Amino acid sequence: MGEVKMGENKFIICNHCKRFINDKNDLVVAYDFLVMNAYHSECFARRAKENFFLSKKPVNGLVSNIVTVLFGIAGLSGLFTDFYVFTVMAILQLSIRLYSWLKYESILED
Ligand SMILES: [Zn+2]
């Protein structure tokens, strides 16, 4: 624990095992019954099996990034059509993505 830099109180604690997450590649951000939480990738896999409310899709990671881009495109096309719902969903997805990044991922950014 002594190795962890706690400057500016920026550190991430796994919601499952309550230990520090120090590696960006080991970080999974996911919704646990509408609350955004951080997990080690291993802890997330373990917990996802046991917890009905835990979203099976992490907020961070490749799949989410692709979804964000797709929603962005759909949202833009929604601006020129009557499908406002795409625009709303795009804004929502982008907000969630940004929030996850600001709250967790940016901390582990070098
Ligand atoms: Zn953990």
Side-chain angles (χ1 to χ4, degrees), residues 4-79:
V4 180
K5 283 178 197 153
M6 307 239 290
E8 297 174 31
N9 266 347
K10 284 192 165 184
F11 53 90
I12 304 171
I13 294 171
C14 174
N15 193 49
H16 183 73
C17 67
K18 311 297 178 198
R19 286 182 203 158
F20 288 105
I21 301 170
N22 298 313
D23 188 351
K24 193 166 184 269
N25 296 318
D26 202 20
L27 169 71
V28 175
V29 181
Y31 273 100
D32 196 350
F33 196 48
L34 302 180
V35 180
M36 198 181 268
N37 282 308
Y39 302 91
H40 293 107
S41 49
E42 212 176 287
C43 294
F44 176 76
R46 203 167 297 162
R47 201 176 167 101
K49 283 183 200 160
E50 301 163 358
N51 192 335
F52 177 76
F53 293 112
L54 184 65
S55 170
K56 301 292 183 287
K57 286 179 222 118
V59 172
N60 66 332
L62 184 64
V63 174
S64 177
N65 288 341
I66 292 170
V67 168
T68 304
V69 170
L70 287 178
F71 269 129
I73 295 166
L76 273 178
S77 63
L79 289 175

Side-chain angles (χ1 to χ4, degrees), residues 12 38 52 68 71 78 81-83 87 93 101-102 106-107 110:
I12 304 171
F52 177 76
T68 304
F71 269 129
T81 62
D82 287 334
F83 296 111
T87 312
Q93 171 71 16
W101 189 82
L102 286 173
S106 63
I107 294 172
D110 287 324

